[in-house]
Amino acid sequence: MAAFGTVFMPEMALTTFENNQWSEAKFVSADSIQMHPGAHVLHYSSTCFEGLKAFRHADGSVNIFRMDENIKRMAQSSELLFLPKFDSEQLSQMIKDIVKKYVDEVPAPPGSMYIRPTHIGTEASIGKAAAPSGTSMLYVLLSPVGDYFAGGARPLRLLLAEDGMRCAAHMGMIKSGGNYASALGPILAAKANVNADQILFCPNGDVQETGAANFILIDGNEIITKALDSSFLHGITRASLLTLAADLGMTVSERELSVTELLERAAKPETEAALSGTAAVLTSVGTLIHNDKEIKVGSGEAGPKATRLRQALNQIQWGQVPDTHGWLTKV
Ligand SMILES: *Cc1c(COP(=O)(O)O)cnc(C)c1O
């Protein structure tokens, strides 16, 4: 199986914003795009993206998970980057149209069609370091993906980093390329130095998130995660899991979580920790690394609550239980 995100459908849906208007969306080859080497995005990082999935159900239908939420978040990212405002209806249609075009290529569960809408500033102007791009391009790429856990899900090792942060505080809730570039150095250092899979960014002791996933702590019947603020990415998987946790009778605590509290709770045998995001849904965390010490989270293995929550979300995505929250859009 090819690595996640390396296989693409031959065409994508694309629209451009020029002369103050969006063009009619069309299908174009997904092999390449053309833009000026002085394009705003290439110099000043006017870029944002989304990641969502379409799932094949046993009845043959193909359903996109929480598309409206991803479109809303992309509108917000675009606004915060001062990219041209796009038409959410148009983007919604583009996503449905391109998925429909490749409906036969949508893998069956546990695989899915990963959908990557991307919005970039294209104005050829290297003088606009402190001004927005007047033109932009919005396209929807498709990448069929297999089972993220093929070969078994090994619990992750996370380095808790209290100094430094993932990205500039006011950029945290924007799904923008520069934030991943900003986190790369620390993540590579953590891999090299302590064999960590990811860094859990905890600026000044405030437990935030990793480079590309939200952090969730489960202690008995309580699920704890940082309350929304502008410093981190508001995951749609996170929101969905909290809803399902409440459905399952768990106590949902969206609040500040300190490193001290995290380490105290992690030491209890029934505690579980996990990372949430569209790609892997919910991945268990087995070990926290803090000041050269390794702390096992609970048993150090994937726990029953995280496993149950992941199953509850997958069952909705895969059409195995009724979609009572209205999260699926049939294409
Ligand atoms: C995409 C992303 C997430 C997870 O968001 P989902 O909507 O659940 O996929 C969390 N943190 C960061 C930094 C992300 O880029």
Side-chain angles (χ1 to χ4, degrees):
M1 188 74 198
F4 184 93
T6 57
V7 177
F8 297 98
M9 291 292 102
E11 292 193 10
M12 62 182 180
L14 178 143
T15 176
T16 54
F17 185 80
E18 276 157 28
N19 303 316
N20 282 316
Q21 59 182 13
W22 287 99
S23 65
E24 198 175 314
K26 54 184 184 192
F27 294 149
V28 299
S29 167
D31 281 351
S32 63
I33 50 172
Q34 196 172 8
M35 67 177 133
H36 194 280
H40 197 270
V41 59
L42 300 177
H43 301 264
Y44 308 124
S45 288
S46 47
T47 170
C48 59
F49 68 91
E50 273 305 325
L52 64 164
K53 283 175 170 173
F55 297 91
R56 177 177 300 287
H57 288 186
D59 65 3
S61 68
V62 165
N63 301 265
I64 307 174
F65 186 70
R66 304 204 77 174
M67 176 177 68
D68 293 347
E69 290 301 314
N70 286 90
I71 292 175
K72 236 189 265 171
R73 189 169 68 190
M74 190 158 195
Q76 179 177 268
S77 292
S78 297
E79 187 183 342
L80 292 169
L81 292 166
F82 302 93
L83 276 162
K85 188 178 165 63
F86 62 82
D87 175 0
S88 294
E89 261 318 301
Q90 184 183 31
L91 177 55
S92 164
Q93 201 57 53
M94 286 166 69
I95 293 172
K96 286 185 281 190
D97 287 347
I98 196 72
V99 172
K100 208 174 279 175
K101 182 176 170 79
Y102 292 108
V103 74
D104 293 338
E105 311 287 332
V106 177
S112 60
M113 184 67 86
Y114 185 85
I115 306 165
R116 174 54 65 96
T118 308
H119 190 193
I120 56 178
T122 50
E123 185 175 347
S125 171
I126 55 174
K128 284 197 153 183
S133 177
T135 63
S136 70
M137 182 185 285
L138 175 59
Y139 56 80
V140 182
L141 263 177
L142 295 184
S143 175
V145 294
D147 183 2
Y148 201 86
F149 296 108
R154 182 182 52 81
L156 301 176
R157 290 165 56 83
L158 299 190
L159 173 66
L160 306 188
E162 294 183 71
D163 51 348
M165 42 203 206
R166 176 181 164 251
C167 61
H170 68 290
M171 298 292 286
M173 67 192 284
I174 313 176
K175 211 165 172 73
S176 184
N179 290 345
Y180 305 86
S182 159
L184 192 54
I187 292 169
L188 293 183
K191 283 186 185 180
N193 297 338
V194 294
N195 191 29
D197 295 299
Q198 290 291 335
I199 291 188
L200 180 56
F201 291 96
C202 311
N204 301 314
D206 173 37
V207 177
Q208 227 168 32
E209 65 170 333
T210 64
N214 294 122
F215 180 76
I216 286 174
L217 186 69
I218 302 169
D219 184 354
N221 202 44
E222 188 181 9
I223 181 164
I224 306 166
T225 194
K226 185 173 167 62
L228 297 181
D229 67 22
S230 58
S231 72
F232 75 108
L233 210 283
H234 302 176
I236 294 160
T237 313
R238 168 195 177 281
S240 306
L241 290 167
L242 295 184
T243 299
L244 294 174
D247 288 352
L248 292 170
M250 296 177 73
T251 303
V252 176
S253 297
E254 291 184 77
R255 59 170 169 84
E256 297 310 293
L257 175 65
S258 69
V259 167
T260 311
E261 181 183 352
L262 169 60
L263 293 175
E264 269 172 29
R265 289 187 186 260
K268 302 206 285 184
E270 72 278 14
T271 297
E272 300 176 35
L275 296 184
S276 85
T278 294
V281 180
L282 197 58
T283 314
S284 289
V285 174
T287 306
L288 302 174
I289 306 162
H290 182 248
N291 293 344
D292 298 326
K293 273 195 6 214
E294 300 207 357
I295 301 100
K296 250 206 285 186
V297 182
S299 67
E301 299 300 322
K305 293 251 162 64
T307 303
R308 176 73 191 94
L309 284 169
R310 185 167 89 208
Q311 179 195 44
L313 189 60
N314 279 152
Q315 282 175 326
I316 294 175
Q317 292 175 327
W318 299 345
Q320 296 170 347
V321 298
D323 173 27
T324 53
H325 296 287
W327 286 344
L328 298 174
T329 302
K330 200 167 282 200
V331 303

